[in-house]
Amino acid sequence: KREISNFDYLMYLNTLAGRSYNDYMQYPVFPWVLADYHSETLNLTDPHTFRDLSKPMGAQTVERKHKFIQRFNEVEKNLSAQCHYCTHYSSAIIVASYLVRMEPFTQTFCSLQGGSFDVADRMFHSVKSTWESASRDNMSDVRELTPEFFYLPEFLTNANHFELGCMQDGTVLGDVQLPPWADGDPHKFILLHRQALESDYVSAHLHHWIDLIFGHKQHGSAAVEAVNTYHPYFYGDKMDLNNIKDPLIKSTILGFISNFGQIPKQV
């Protein structure tokens, strides 16, 4: 009925599922909605402009999807449980890495990294390359986004002039590199990105992504079929820590969750 925006609806669902700005380990999670980070202009009437919201980030390409299914079926010897993904789509380090150019996230990121910035090539520096990594290239990267990508241009600029390092190709890290259609303007990027979130295409398909993150495809047989299962430790509400007597195992699980992320409570 268009009585509420997609942004407000997603924030409402995140809150219901226990996500909060006050907890980096359970920070609100938002979807990648676009797949076009190379065009000069953004066409929001073309379905090919958008990410496939019915599939998790690990299944955005056929080749990648098959690799994760193969991993699930093989249960590699070094894995303690059967799952598609051993990394998560939202964690404290993912949130801090996206927002690293703003305080207090700068200090949070450095503390999580042992007191300094990460190697420059691993830092968040380009929207396009981050999309390619999370959707296609990197088998340990299935990141989704944070709410700031839809309303806060400031996180895309290095206004505090932090020395973030220099990449191997000689690029000095500063402001985040934006897609051509943003014309190098963070405000234009946020404006168009928010328009994409509120577009007819996303409005018609967003419920598929909600099923994956907050709904019935979150775990169980539906999650297996959707190529959407994560390491058991990520399912915080399924882990009964009170029944684990071994303090070493309990601290290992807690450390795993704090470092690698947590599945939202099922709504």
Side-chain angles (χ1 to χ4, degrees), residues 94-183:
I94 289 172
V95 171
S97 68
Y98 278 146
L99 306 175
V100 69
R101 289 163 178 79
M102 296 190 312
E103 291 288 12
F105 301 97
T106 313
Q107 293 304 316
T108 301
F109 183 83
C110 289
S111 66
L112 290 170
Q113 284 292 128
S116 63
F117 291 119
D118 199 357
V119 176
D121 287 81
R122 289 203 299 257
M123 295 281 286
F124 171 53
H125 67 278
S126 160
V127 177
K128 178 176 181 282
S129 65
T130 302
W131 159 256
E132 289 171 349
S133 171
S135 67
R136 186 186 71 201
D137 297 338
N138 188 344
M139 289 292 284
S140 62
D141 183 3
V142 291
R143 279 176 288 183
E144 294 280 7
L145 300 180
T146 64
E148 286 80 3
F149 276 82
F150 301 94
Y151 70 83
L152 190 70
E154 285 77 10
F155 88 94
L156 297 165
T157 61
N158 187 20
N160 293 317
H161 305 292
F162 293 119
E163 293 185 8
L164 302 172
C166 182
M167 296 172 65
Q168 288 183 351
D169 64 4
T171 304
V172 177
L173 294 196
D175 297 345
V176 176
Q177 295 172 12
L178 302 175
W181 45 258
D183 296 328

Side-chain angles (χ1 to χ4, degrees), residues 4 10 16 19 50 83-84 90 104 108 111 115 128 152 189 192 200 231 260:
I4 186 172
L10 286 171
L16 276 179
R19 314 296 283 191
F50 298 92
C83 62
H84 293 111
S90 176
T108 301
S111 66
K128 178 176 181 282
L152 190 70
F189 172 82
L192 291 173
D200 289 340
H231 193 285
F260 296 105

Side-chain angles (χ1 to χ4, degrees), residues 6-231:
N6 289 336
F7 183 91
D8 287 338
Y9 184 49
L10 286 171
M11 281 305 300
Y12 180 67
L13 288 174
N14 270 285
T15 303
L16 276 179
R19 314 296 283 191
S20 167
Y21 281 120
N22 298 324
D23 185 350
Y24 293 169
M25 290 183 289
Q26 297 191 82
Y27 208 75
V29 56
F30 269 60
W32 289 94
V33 293
L34 294 172
D36 182 355
Y37 298 96
H38 55 268
S39 297
E40 294 294 328
T41 56
L42 194 60
N43 183 0
L44 296 181
T45 62
D46 182 359
H48 295 101
T49 298
F50 298 92
R51 165 255 181 104
D52 187 342
L53 287 159
S54 69
K55 296 184 176 71
M57 289 303 291
Q60 289 297 306
T61 69
V62 174
E63 181 186 3
R64 188 165 145 105
K65 177 182 176 181
H66 287 322
K67 284 181 181 176
F68 281 120
I69 291 173
Q70 186 178 4
R71 172 191 283 177
F72 181 88
N73 291 333
E74 285 178 357
V75 191
E76 297 169 10
K77 293 185 178 113
N78 62 338
L79 297 180
S80 58
Q82 190 175 39
C83 62
H84 293 111
Y85 313 116
C86 301
T87 54
H88 199 253
Y89 48 76
S90 176
S91 66
I93 193 68
I94 289 172
V95 171
S97 68
Y98 278 146
L99 306 175
V100 69
R101 289 163 178 79
M102 296 190 312
E103 291 288 12
F105 301 97
T106 313
Q107 293 304 316
T108 301
F109 183 83
C110 289
S111 66
L112 290 170
Q113 284 292 128
S116 63
F117 291 119
D118 199 357
V119 176
D121 287 81
R122 289 203 299 257
M123 295 281 286
F124 171 53
H125 67 278
S126 160
V127 177
K128 178 176 181 282
S129 65
T130 302
W131 159 256
E132 289 171 349
S133 171
S135 67
R136 186 186 71 201
D137 297 338
N138 188 344
M139 289 292 284
S140 62
D141 183 3
V142 291
R143 279 176 288 183
E144 294 280 7
L145 300 180
T146 64
E148 286 80 3
F149 276 82
F150 301 94
Y151 70 83
L152 190 70
E154 285 77 10
F155 88 94
L156 297 165
T157 61
N158 187 20
N160 293 317
H161 305 292
F162 293 119
E163 293 185 8
L164 302 172
C166 182
M167 296 172 65
Q168 288 183 351
D169 64 4
T171 304
V172 177
L173 294 196
D175 297 345
V176 176
Q177 295 172 12
L178 302 175
W181 45 258
D183 296 328
D185 182 351
H187 289 84
K188 185 172 182 180
F189 172 82
I190 295 294
L191 175 68
L192 291 173
H193 204 214
R194 182 63 174 267
Q195 286 178 1
L197 178 65
E198 305 299 341
S199 67
D200 289 340
Y201 179 90
V202 172
S203 296
H205 295 85
L206 187 58
H207 62 285
H208 296 303
W209 183 83
I210 290 169
D211 286 343
L212 293 168
I213 306 300
F214 302 107
H216 77 289
K217 293 182 181 177
Q218 194 189 74
H219 58 258
S221 59
V224 175
E225 193 174 328
V227 194
N228 192 44
T229 64
Y230 296 81
H231 193 285

